[in-house]
Amino acid sequence: MCNACIIEEVRKSMLSRRSLFKGAAMAGVATAAAGLLPARQALAQSSGKVIDLTHTYDETFPTFDGTPGIAYEEAVNFEQHGYQLWKLTIYEHTGTHIDAPLHFSKDGTSVADLPVENLMAPLCVLDLTGKAKDDANAMVMKDDIDAWISANGAIPAGACVAMNSGWAAKLGDPAFRNTPDGKLAFPGFSKEATDYLAELGAASIAVDTLSLDPGNSADFAVHFSWLPNGHFGIENIANLDKLPAKGATIFIGAPKHARGTGGPARVMAVI
């Protein structure tokens, strides 16, 4: 996601927190290593069923700012050369994609440098569908996480915590992105929740919407706190409704281009 004017103003107000974020990022590396073991344990106990958590996308896929996220140009024609090839122009934050720490910090970790230990992780799925039916800008709160823990046990170290708001079912409808009057509207995480997840040792979060923050966010509080803190996020994830609340292992095919602030990813889960 991107909204340059608003982001720039909020960025200036957050610079004083950078030293805190750097210290927390070092702690996050240790958490990543600790999280690899439970991911492997869960995988060893799985049935081997693979669920694709990635949307197929093209120039019609909705984006945060409304600009098409990918453009195709024919580079090699099959009829002329016997093979075919597209030249693609892609915005990093489109389709099912990763938000790396560098997306909301001057010198954070790029998508190419994310710890590989965090790209295979225990997956915790929070059901926000009930709240989202009543509020298009519903947020995951600390109470939602506590309820998940009460029902399922502790959040594993290094986990990816995903919000299932049911929003993926709206894909193809303008309501996936905005209200009839054009205002951005979709569920997301609250800063209260992501601060709590950082304390619990989660490494990443995921949403089935266009942004980690809810659509009506004016300050991108989650982006400005969670990402510079050494964590990453996944936006526009698919098929969370096909997964159990716990027990799945997520595999995140992060792109590896230097200086990347994020990028389209192939994401899967094994249950």
Side-chain angles (χ1 to χ4, degrees):
M1 49 96 23
C2 146
N3 190 320
C5 294
I6 297 175
I7 290 174
E8 176 61 20
E9 289 302 313
V10 180
R11 182 191 67 81
K12 293 176 181 177
S13 71
M14 301 295 288
L15 290 177
S16 62
R17 303 177 64 183
R18 185 171 298 160
S19 60
L20 174 63
F21 293 152
K22 287 183 179 178
M26 294 303 295
V29 173
T31 299
L36 186 58
L37 183 58
R40 288 176 173 168
Q41 290 172 339
L43 188 60
Q45 298 169 11
S46 74
S47 68
K49 183 178 181 181
V50 180
I51 303 296
D52 191 354
L53 304 183
T54 314
H55 289 291
T56 300
Y57 92 112
D58 60 16
E59 57 269 61
T60 68
F61 196 94
T63 61
F64 186 86
D65 64 3
T67 302
I70 184 171
Y72 298 78
E73 179 183 341
E74 187 179 56
V76 179
N77 180 274
F78 185 84
E79 299 299 331
Q80 295 176 358
H81 302 282
Y83 71 104
Q84 52 194 342
L85 180 67
W86 293 107
K87 174 184 176 182
L88 300 179
T89 301
I90 297 175
Y91 285 90
E92 289 178 312
H93 298 272
T94 55
T96 301
H97 68 273
I98 291 177
D99 280 11
L102 187 59
H103 185 33
F104 268 69
S105 58
K106 179 67 175 177
D107 52 3
T109 303
S110 78
V111 71
D113 296 320
L114 292 174
V116 292
E117 293 86 357
N118 285 346
L119 302 181
M120 182 179 77
L123 180 61
C124 306
V125 181
L126 305 180
D127 185 356
L128 204 74
T129 55
K131 291 172 69 172
K133 285 180 181 178
D134 298 326
D135 180 6
N137 292 293
M139 292 189 290
V140 176
M141 305 299 292
K142 181 178 181 294
D143 287 349
D144 297 309
I145 298 168
D146 283 335
W148 190 97
I149 292 172
S150 178
N152 300 286
I155 300 288
C160 175
V161 179
M163 174 196 77
N164 175 27
S165 68
W167 226 247
K170 296 177 181 288
L171 191 63
D173 187 309
F176 181 79
R177 180 179 183 271
N178 48 251
T179 60
D181 60 356
K183 294 180 180 178
L184 292 172
F186 41 79
F189 277 84
S190 68
K191 183 178 180 298
E192 170 191 279
T194 52
D195 285 351
Y196 187 37
L197 289 174
E199 294 175 8
L200 296 176
S204 61
I205 58 174
V207 296
D208 55 355
T209 62
L210 282 167
S211 174
L212 306 178
D213 290 280
N216 65 351
S217 173
D219 59 6
F220 302 102
V222 170
H223 281 82
F224 272 110
S225 56
W226 180 255
L227 298 179
N229 208 0
H231 303 98
F232 67 94
I234 308 168
E235 295 172 338
N236 295 320
I237 201 165
N239 293 325
L240 289 175
D241 58 330
K242 297 180 180 180
L243 297 175
K246 71 170 186 177
T249 301
I250 192 169
F251 292 82
I252 306 162
K256 202 174 180 182
H257 57 291
R259 305 183 302 280
T261 71
R266 189 65 183 264
V267 185
M268 295 167 281
V270 176
I271 57 177

